[in-house]
Amino acid sequence: MDIFIQQIINGLVLGSIYALVALGYTMVYGIMGLINFAHGEVVMIGAMVALSVVKALAASGLPVFAVILIALAAAALVCMAIGFSVERIAYRPLRRAHKLAPLITAIGISIILQHTAMLVWGRNYHAFPPILPASAHEIFGATITSLQVAIVLIAGLMMAGLMVLINHTRFGRAMRATSENPQIAQLMGVDINKIISATFVIGSALAAVAGLMVSANYSIAHYYMGFMLGLKAFTAAVLGGIGNIAGAVLGGILLGLIEALGAGYIGDLTGGFLGSHYQDIFAFFVLIGVLIFRPSGLIGERVSERA
Amino acid sequence: MLEVTGLRVAYGGIQAVRGINFHVNQGEMVALIGANGAGKTSTLKALARLLNAAGGSVRYCGKEILNLPPHQLVSAGIALVPEGRGVFPRMSIVENLQMGAYSRRDNDGIEADKEHVFSLFPRLKERAFQLAGTLSGGEQQMLAIGRALMSRPKLLLLDEPSMGLAPLMVQKIFEVICAVAKEGMTVLLIEQNAKLALEVSQRGYVMESGEITLTGESGALLEDPKVRAAYLGE
């Protein structure tokens, strides 16, 4: 029983992070039909910047809270600048091109970002300095650390904030209008270039937060970490229904739970043949399953669209 | 108010609009009629900057607008009700109307105009929080017109407002269009339904294969034997 509860907790933490990253995929897809495969690398850069700042300030005597806040701000700024520039330089010139062109460009950008990070931070794993208080709490025989509680809470708050922004503000309406019909949105006076830029910037800020969370939670960061994380978050977005904001949150949490529970029980289920290091296969089973049985995702189109 | 000279629109090598001239005076309702494929919608899309014109000039209140980015037209006072309505299906009626007022910041005025649109189309008020995609074609047309009015335009461009609607609905829509025009709105109306368009407008232009072939007072055009033969089925 305690394994079950423990894995549910781990799944929620992991799922919150996936959800934050999945939002970046789904927002960009919703607004321009592009799968921004470079998004995982933005998370990685967020993690690397945050970790470097924490390392630099670890011995400064500043309170932990301030160090984390500064690290987060630095990561968010760098990621937002990258998100903005990538859209401007790589995707905007291709807006009228065949859909395959921006997709391949996205893969190219992803490689560029990854290797730039390798040049800056090297090939080694970087350990997250142990500045966070390692307080653990017991619930139902399982443990949850303060960090994990913070991750779930902050992710939840950010997602709620994003929902309010998209569903209840003038800017959010313009975003949804652009995603439904950019030409008509322009007729209403929406400068769709600005909306698209803003979408990339917001997605990148969420990615920066996720990056900090990942590196703090696993105490490690690496120039290659964005690849797998990006693929999984993409899977989460597809699972929920790509282009759908609530779907990305649902898909992220579900995928986190599936992975955690899968990793917890795969040993027992296969008689020890496969161990928990096979955790990664679940995301891809889910991806293949969704693509075969429900390509529109769990929360697909809600309304019939009449002309 | 609107002065179009030598406007040309081309799709690749094919000229859809071949250098047309027309104008719309302040407070006037002008009809641009013609068969399917005559180039009416291309003309309107070029005016609304949804298409790049291949040549010519469009002056609105004395200023050239062919070089304006499309999103600046609405704050200049031009609103288009596009062919096929173009409502946002996954947004509610109220949100669609709010999008119409996107270029404005005067919240009280926006609220008042929303009530005005609801008084023109009580059907929309009953369904204010329903998603636009669930509305009938006629209701969507009402919404598209209401949304255009929300920007407080000086010039209203209507593209085939009668298309695909039941006769009763067409009548309702045109009653509102006439009411809006009476309040002093300048209207450029594009229609395949020539009889209807010429009955409600003051002047008309007849478009054929990308060119304007006839023009005059709407009443006179209605009596013109060529128009009667080609568009009124006589």
Side-chain angles (χ1 to χ4, degrees), chain B residues 136-199:
Chain B
S136 75
E139 291 161 344
Q140 290 192 8
Q141 186 62 264
M142 293 175 177
L143 179 56
I145 293 174
R147 184 179 62 182
L149 293 177
M150 289 299 290
S151 67
R152 279 205 188 162
K154 297 190 196 91
L155 171 63
L156 187 61
L157 310 174
L158 297 166
D159 196 352
E160 304 267 12
S162 78
M163 193 173 70
L165 301 185
L168 207 64
M169 192 56 92
V170 172
Q171 200 190 329
K172 260 189 200 164
I173 300 273
F174 270 79
E175 274 167 19
V176 171
I177 294 174
C178 290
V180 170
K182 260 206 196 93
E183 288 170 16
M185 181 81 71
T186 310
V187 180
L188 175 59
L189 170 66
I190 288 202
E191 260 298 340
Q192 269 188 65
N193 188 336
K195 184 163 179 285
L196 189 60
L198 292 177
E199 275 169 2

Side-chain angles (χ1 to χ4, degrees), chain B residues 24-142:
Chain B
V24 182
N25 298 321
Q26 171 105 41
E28 229 185 357
M29 167 135 50
V30 171
L32 182 61
I33 61 173
N36 212 349
K40 307 184 300 291
T41 292
S42 300
T43 303
L44 211 55
K45 280 193 168 167
L47 294 190
R49 301 287 299 110
L50 294 178
L51 275 179
N52 279 323
S57 111
V58 176
R59 299 180 81 80
Y60 163 76
C61 296
K63 268 187 273 173
E64 179 63 53
I65 58 168
L66 281 187
N67 47 20
L68 274 186
H71 67 267
Q72 284 180 11
L73 278 182
V74 65
S75 39
I78 303 179
L80 167 68
V81 178
E83 187 182 7
R85 282 64 96 176
V87 298
F88 300 112
R90 276 174 288 170
M91 295 171 87
S92 71
I93 288 177
V94 168
E95 285 181 319
N96 267 277
L97 293 178
Q98 285 170 328
M99 279 312 297
Y102 183 79
S103 57
R104 298 168 57 187
R105 295 287 193 166
D106 55 323
N107 289 332
D108 295 345
I110 292 173
E111 201 55 32
D113 284 2
K114 193 177 84 190
E115 289 309 316
H116 179 60
V117 168
F118 281 155
S119 70
L120 290 173
F121 300 111
R123 275 279 264 289
L124 296 181
K125 184 166 190 168
E126 292 164 23
R127 314 197 158 185
F129 296 100
Q130 211 168 309
L131 296 186
T134 64
L135 299 177
S136 75
E139 291 161 344
Q140 290 192 8
Q141 186 62 264
M142 293 175 177

Side-chain angles (χ1 to χ4, degrees), chain A residues 18-98:
Chain A
Y18 287 159
L20 283 183
V21 184
L23 282 169
Y25 279 99
T26 226
M27 281 197 297
V28 166
Y29 183 86
I31 218 150
M32 50 193 292
L34 161 75
I35 294 168
N36 177 17
F37 274 119
H39 191 60
E41 309 309 331
V42 178
V43 181
M44 174 273 293
I45 290 182
M48 288 303 213
V49 170
L51 187 141
S52 305
V53 173
V54 170
K55 240 185 203 171
L57 296 180
S60 67
L62 282 169
V64 174
F65 185 69
V67 172
I68 293 290
L69 221 54
I70 295 170
L72 186 60
L77 278 178
V78 172
C79 288
M80 283 153 82
I82 290 176
F84 179 83
S85 324
V86 164
E87 190 273 325
R88 238 4 220 281
I89 296 166
Y91 300 142
R92 190 170 296 183
L94 297 172
R95 211 171 285 163
R96 281 159 208 271
H98 188 275

Side-chain angles (χ1 to χ4, degrees), chain A:
Chain A
M1 190 61 193
D2 51 341
I3 288 196
F4 181 75
I5 303 279
Q6 187 64 57
Q7 292 307 85
I8 292 275
I9 291 171
N10 293 344
L12 280 178
V13 173
L14 193 57
S16 308
I17 296 171
Y18 287 159
L20 283 183
V21 184
L23 282 169
Y25 279 99
T26 226
M27 281 197 297
V28 166
Y29 183 86
I31 218 150
M32 50 193 292
L34 161 75
I35 294 168
N36 177 17
F37 274 119
H39 191 60
E41 309 309 331
V42 178
V43 181
M44 174 273 293
I45 290 182
M48 288 303 213
V49 170
L51 187 141
S52 305
V53 173
V54 170
K55 240 185 203 171
L57 296 180
S60 67
L62 282 169
V64 174
F65 185 69
V67 172
I68 293 290
L69 221 54
I70 295 170
L72 186 60
L77 278 178
V78 172
C79 288
M80 283 153 82
I82 290 176
F84 179 83
S85 324
V86 164
E87 190 273 325
R88 238 4 220 281
I89 296 166
Y91 300 142
R92 190 170 296 183
L94 297 172
R95 211 171 285 163
R96 281 159 208 271
H98 188 275
K99 283 212 166 183
L100 214 48
L103 190 69
I104 294 168
T105 306
I107 295 171
I109 293 291
S110 158
I111 295 170
I112 291 173
L113 290 178
Q114 212 177 85
H115 286 80
T116 311
M118 190 187 79
L119 290 174
V120 175
W121 286 285
R123 295 162 166 276
N124 299 325
Y125 285 81
H126 293 266
F128 197 88
I131 59 165
L132 295 167
S135 54
H137 316 277
E138 289 257 329
I139 29 170
F140 304 118
T143 50
I144 183 165
T145 64
S146 303
L147 173 65
Q148 288 178 316
V149 174
I151 287 177
V152 173
L153 282 182
I154 292 170
L157 275 177
M158 297 200 66
M159 290 185 266
L162 186 71
M163 291 286 198
V164 171
L165 178 75
I166 287 175
N167 290 321
H168 299 289
T169 66
R170 179 173 179 275
F171 169 77
R173 271 198 300 278
M175 228 174 122
R176 284 181 289 143
T178 305
S179 124
E180 290 198 25
N181 191 334
Q183 272 212 331
I184 304 287
Q186 275 185 321
L187 281 181
M188 306 292 117
V190 177
D191 183 348
I192 61 171
N193 282 332
K194 273 194 192 151
I195 298 288
I196 290 174
S197 286
T199 305
F200 272 84
V201 167
I202 294 171
S204 303
L206 296 179
V209 177
L212 173 63
M213 287 175 174
V214 177
S215 56
N217 192 42
Y218 296 104
S219 304
I220 212 152
H222 181 235
Y223 83 98
Y224 201 64
M225 66 189 272
F227 176 72
M228 189 59 91
L229 187 64
L231 272 184
K232 288 188 180 168
F234 167 67
T235 303
V238 172
L239 172 62
I242 191 146
N244 186 313
I245 300 286
V249 174
L250 179 70
I253 305 280
L254 270 181
L255 189 69
L257 289 172
I258 291 170
E259 260 195 39
L261 290 173
Y265 288 106
I266 191 173
D268 294 345
L269 290 175
T270 58
F273 180 64
L274 298 176
S276 61
H277 51 283
Y278 275 89
Q279 177 179 5
D280 292 343
I281 65 176
F282 297 104
F284 301 105
F285 278 136
V286 168
L287 182 59
I288 293 167
V290 171
L291 291 179
I292 292 174
F293 297 110
R294 201 177 160 85
S296 60
L298 293 175
I299 315 182
E301 296 296 81
R302 288 172 302 168
V303 190
S304 63
E305 287 179 42
R306 286 188 241 176

